[in-house]
CSV table of all heavy atoms in Angstrom, one decimal:
chain,number,residue,atom,x,y,z
K,52,GLY,N,-43.8,-35.3,-8.9
K,52,GLY,CA,-44.9,-34.5,-9.4
K,52,GLY,C,-46.2,-34.9,-8.9
K,52,GLY,O,-46.4,-34.8,-7.7
K,53,GLY,N,-47.2,-35.4,-9.7
K,53,GLY,CA,-48.5,-35.6,-9.2
K,53,GLY,C,-48.6,-36.7,-8.2
K,53,GLY,O,-49.3,-36.6,-7.0
K,58,TYR,N,-48.9,-30.8,-6.4
K,58,TYR,CA,-49.8,-29.8,-6.7
K,58,TYR,C,-50.1,-29.0,-5.3
K,58,TYR,O,-50.5,-27.8,-5.4
K,58,TYR,CB,-51.0,-30.4,-7.0
K,58,TYR,CG,-51.1,-31.0,-8.4
K,58,TYR,CD1,-50.9,-32.4,-8.6
K,58,TYR,CD2,-51.3,-30.3,-9.6
K,58,TYR,CE1,-50.8,-32.9,-9.9
K,58,TYR,CE2,-51.4,-30.8,-10.8
K,58,TYR,CZ,-51.0,-32.1,-11.0
K,58,TYR,OH,-51.0,-32.7,-12.3
K,85,SER,N,-41.2,-30.7,-9.6
K,85,SER,CA,-42.1,-30.1,-10.3
K,85,SER,C,-42.6,-28.8,-9.8
K,85,SER,O,-42.5,-28.7,-8.5
K,85,SER,CB,-43.5,-31.0,-10.5
K,85,SER,OG,-43.2,-32.1,-11.2
K,86,ILE,N,-43.2,-27.9,-10.5
K,86,ILE,CA,-43.5,-26.6,-10.1
K,86,ILE,C,-44.9,-26.3,-10.5
K,86,ILE,O,-45.3,-26.9,-11.4
K,86,ILE,CB,-42.5,-25.5,-10.6
K,86,ILE,CG1,-42.5,-25.4,-12.1
K,86,ILE,CG2,-41.0,-25.6,-10.0
K,86,ILE,CD1,-41.7,-24.2,-12.7
K,87,GLY,N,-45.6,-25.3,-9.9
K,87,GLY,CA,-47.0,-25.1,-10.3
K,87,GLY,C,-48.0,-25.8,-9.3
K,87,GLY,O,-47.6,-26.2,-8.3
K,88,ALA,N,-49.1,-25.9,-9.7
K,88,ALA,CA,-49.8,-25.8,-11.1
K,88,ALA,C,-50.0,-24.3,-11.5
K,88,ALA,O,-50.0,-23.9,-12.7
K,88,ALA,CB,-50.9,-26.6,-11.2
K,89,ASP,N,-50.3,-23.4,-10.6
K,89,ASP,CA,-50.7,-22.0,-11.0
K,89,ASP,C,-49.6,-21.3,-11.4
K,89,ASP,O,-48.4,-21.6,-10.9
K,89,ASP,CB,-51.7,-21.3,-10.0
K,89,ASP,CG,-50.9,-21.0,-8.8
K,89,ASP,OD1,-50.3,-19.9,-8.7
K,89,ASP,OD2,-50.8,-21.8,-7.7
K,109,MET,N,-40.6,-30.0,-14.1
K,109,MET,CA,-41.8,-30.1,-14.8
K,109,MET,C,-42.8,-29.2,-14.3
K,109,MET,O,-43.0,-28.8,-13.1
K,109,MET,CB,-42.4,-31.5,-14.7
K,109,MET,CG,-43.5,-31.8,-15.6
K,109,MET,SD,-44.1,-33.5,-15.4
K,109,MET,CE,-44.9,-33.5,-13.9
K,110,VAL,N,-43.5,-28.6,-15.3
K,110,VAL,CA,-44.7,-27.7,-14.9
K,110,VAL,C,-45.9,-28.4,-14.8
K,110,VAL,O,-46.4,-29.1,-15.7
K,110,VAL,CB,-44.8,-26.5,-15.9
K,110,VAL,CG1,-45.9,-25.5,-15.4
K,110,VAL,CG2,-43.5,-25.8,-16.2
K,111,LEU,N,-46.6,-28.5,-13.5
K,111,LEU,CA,-47.7,-29.3,-13.4
K,111,LEU,C,-48.9,-28.6,-14.2
K,111,LEU,O,-48.8,-27.4,-14.2
K,111,LEU,CB,-48.0,-29.4,-11.8
K,111,LEU,CG,-47.1,-30.2,-11.1
K,111,LEU,CD1,-47.3,-30.0,-9.5
K,111,LEU,CD2,-47.3,-31.8,-11.2
K,112,PRO,N,-49.8,-29.4,-14.7
K,112,PRO,CA,-50.8,-28.8,-15.6
K,112,PRO,C,-52.1,-28.1,-14.9
K,112,PRO,O,-52.6,-28.8,-14.0
K,112,PRO,CB,-51.2,-30.0,-16.5
K,112,PRO,CG,-51.1,-31.1,-15.6
K,112,PRO,CD,-49.8,-30.9,-14.7
K,113,LEU,N,-52.2,-26.9,-15.1
K,113,LEU,CA,-53.5,-26.2,-14.7
K,113,LEU,C,-54.5,-26.2,-15.7
K,113,LEU,O,-54.3,-25.6,-16.7
K,113,LEU,CB,-53.0,-24.8,-14.1
K,113,LEU,CG,-54.2,-23.9,-13.5
K,113,LEU,CD1,-54.3,-24.5,-12.1
K,113,LEU,CD2,-53.8,-22.5,-13.5
K,114,ALA,N,-55.5,-27.0,-15.4
K,114,ALA,CA,-56.6,-27.1,-16.5
K,114,ALA,C,-57.5,-25.7,-16.5
K,114,ALA,O,-58.0,-25.4,-17.6
K,114,ALA,CB,-57.5,-28.2,-16.3
K,115,PHE,N,-57.6,-25.2,-15.2
K,115,PHE,CA,-58.5,-23.9,-15.1
K,115,PHE,C,-58.0,-23.1,-14.0
K,115,PHE,O,-57.6,-23.7,-13.1
K,115,PHE,CB,-60.0,-24.4,-14.8
K,115,PHE,CG,-60.9,-23.4,-14.4
K,115,PHE,CD1,-61.6,-22.7,-15.3
K,115,PHE,CD2,-61.1,-22.9,-13.1
K,115,PHE,CE1,-62.5,-21.7,-15.0
K,115,PHE,CE2,-61.9,-22.0,-12.7
K,115,PHE,CZ,-62.6,-21.3,-13.7
K,117,ALA,N,-57.0,-21.4,-17.5
K,117,ALA,CA,-55.9,-21.3,-18.3
K,117,ALA,C,-56.4,-21.5,-19.9
K,117,ALA,O,-57.3,-22.2,-20.1
K,117,ALA,CB,-54.9,-22.4,-18.0
K,122,LEU,N,-51.1,-20.2,-21.7
K,122,LEU,CA,-50.1,-21.3,-21.2
K,122,LEU,C,-48.7,-21.1,-22.0
K,122,LEU,O,-47.7,-21.2,-21.3
K,122,LEU,CB,-50.8,-22.7,-21.2
K,122,LEU,CG,-51.7,-23.1,-20.2
K,122,LEU,CD1,-52.5,-24.2,-20.7
K,122,LEU,CD2,-51.1,-23.2,-18.8
K,126,PHE,N,-45.3,-20.5,-20.1
K,126,PHE,CA,-44.2,-21.4,-20.1
K,126,PHE,C,-42.8,-20.7,-20.5
K,126,PHE,O,-41.8,-20.9,-19.8
K,126,PHE,CB,-44.4,-22.6,-21.1
K,126,PHE,CG,-45.1,-23.7,-20.5
K,126,PHE,CD1,-46.5,-23.9,-20.5
K,126,PHE,CD2,-44.4,-24.8,-20.1
K,126,PHE,CE1,-47.2,-24.9,-20.0
K,126,PHE,CE2,-45.1,-25.8,-19.4
K,126,PHE,CZ,-46.4,-25.8,-19.4
K,138,ILE,N,-40.0,-28.9,-18.5
K,138,ILE,CA,-40.8,-30.0,-19.1
K,138,ILE,C,-42.2,-29.7,-19.0
K,138,ILE,O,-42.7,-29.3,-18.0
K,138,ILE,CB,-40.5,-31.3,-18.3
K,138,ILE,CG1,-39.0,-31.7,-18.4
K,138,ILE,CG2,-41.4,-32.4,-18.9
K,138,ILE,CD1,-38.6,-33.0,-17.6
K,139,ALA,N,-42.9,-29.7,-20.2
K,139,ALA,CA,-44.3,-29.4,-20.2
K,139,ALA,C,-45.0,-30.7,-19.9
K,139,ALA,O,-44.6,-31.8,-20.3
K,139,ALA,CB,-44.7,-28.9,-21.6
K,140,TYR,N,-46.3,-30.6,-19.4
K,140,TYR,CA,-47.1,-31.9,-19.0
K,140,TYR,C,-48.5,-31.7,-19.7
K,140,TYR,O,-49.1,-30.7,-19.1
K,140,TYR,CB,-47.0,-32.0,-17.6
K,140,TYR,CG,-47.9,-33.1,-17.0
K,140,TYR,CD1,-48.6,-34.1,-17.7
K,140,TYR,CD2,-47.8,-33.2,-15.5
K,140,TYR,CE1,-49.1,-35.2,-17.0
K,140,TYR,CE2,-48.5,-34.2,-14.9
K,140,TYR,CZ,-49.2,-35.3,-15.7
K,140,TYR,OH,-49.9,-36.2,-15.1
K,141,ILE,N,-48.8,-32.3,-20.6
K,141,ILE,CA,-50.1,-32.1,-21.2
K,141,ILE,C,-51.0,-33.4,-20.8
K,141,ILE,O,-50.6,-34.6,-21.0
K,141,ILE,CB,-50.0,-32.3,-22.8
K,141,ILE,CG1,-49.3,-31.0,-23.2
K,141,ILE,CG2,-51.5,-32.4,-23.4
K,141,ILE,CD1,-49.2,-30.9,-24.9
K,142,LYS,N,-52.1,-33.1,-20.1
K,142,LYS,CA,-52.9,-34.2,-19.6
K,142,LYS,C,-54.3,-34.2,-20.2
K,142,LYS,O,-55.1,-35.1,-20.1
K,142,LYS,CB,-53.1,-33.8,-18.1
K,142,LYS,CG,-53.1,-35.1,-17.1
K,142,LYS,CD,-53.1,-34.5,-15.7
K,142,LYS,CE,-53.8,-35.5,-14.7
K,142,LYS,NZ,-53.3,-36.7,-14.8
K,143,ASN,N,-54.6,-33.0,-20.8
K,143,ASN,CA,-56.0,-32.8,-21.4
K,143,ASN,C,-55.8,-32.4,-22.9
K,143,ASN,O,-54.9,-31.6,-23.2
K,143,ASN,CB,-56.7,-31.7,-20.7
K,143,ASN,CG,-57.1,-32.2,-19.3
K,143,ASN,OD1,-57.5,-33.3,-19.1
K,143,ASN,ND2,-56.7,-31.3,-18.4
K,146,PHE,N,-54.6,-28.8,-24.5
K,146,PHE,CA,-54.1,-28.0,-23.5
K,146,PHE,C,-53.2,-27.0,-24.0
K,146,PHE,O,-53.1,-25.8,-23.7
K,146,PHE,CB,-53.4,-29.0,-22.5
K,146,PHE,CG,-52.7,-28.4,-21.4
K,146,PHE,CD1,-53.5,-27.9,-20.2
K,146,PHE,CD2,-51.4,-28.2,-21.1
K,146,PHE,CE1,-52.9,-27.3,-19.2
K,146,PHE,CE2,-50.8,-27.6,-20.1
K,146,PHE,CZ,-51.6,-27.1,-19.0
K,147,LEU,N,-52.2,-27.4,-24.9
K,147,LEU,CA,-51.4,-26.5,-25.6
K,147,LEU,C,-51.6,-26.7,-27.0
K,147,LEU,O,-51.8,-27.9,-27.5
K,147,LEU,CB,-49.9,-26.8,-25.2
K,147,LEU,CG,-49.3,-26.4,-24.0
K,147,LEU,CD1,-48.0,-26.9,-23.8
K,147,LEU,CD2,-49.2,-24.8,-23.9
K,165,LYS,N,-44.2,-34.3,-21.5
K,165,LYS,CA,-44.8,-35.5,-20.9
K,165,LYS,C,-46.3,-35.5,-21.4
K,165,LYS,O,-47.0,-34.6,-21.1
K,165,LYS,CB,-44.8,-35.5,-19.3
K,165,LYS,CG,-45.6,-36.6,-18.6
K,165,LYS,CD,-45.5,-36.4,-17.2
K,165,LYS,CE,-45.9,-37.7,-16.3
K,165,LYS,NZ,-47.2,-37.6,-15.9
K,167,ALA,N,-49.9,-37.2,-21.6
K,167,ALA,CA,-50.8,-38.0,-20.8
K,167,ALA,C,-52.2,-37.9,-21.0
K,167,ALA,O,-52.9,-37.9,-20.0
K,167,ALA,CB,-50.3,-37.7,-19.3
Side-chain angles (χ1 to χ4, degrees):
Y58 288 93
S85 293
I86 62 175
D89 69 86
M109 184 177 77
V110 184
L111 293 165
L113 183 73
F115 171 87
L122 284 162
F126 270 89
I138 298 179
Y140 180 0
I141 295 184
K142 220 170 150 49
N143 293 311
F146 180 73
L147 282 168
K165 175 179 193 259

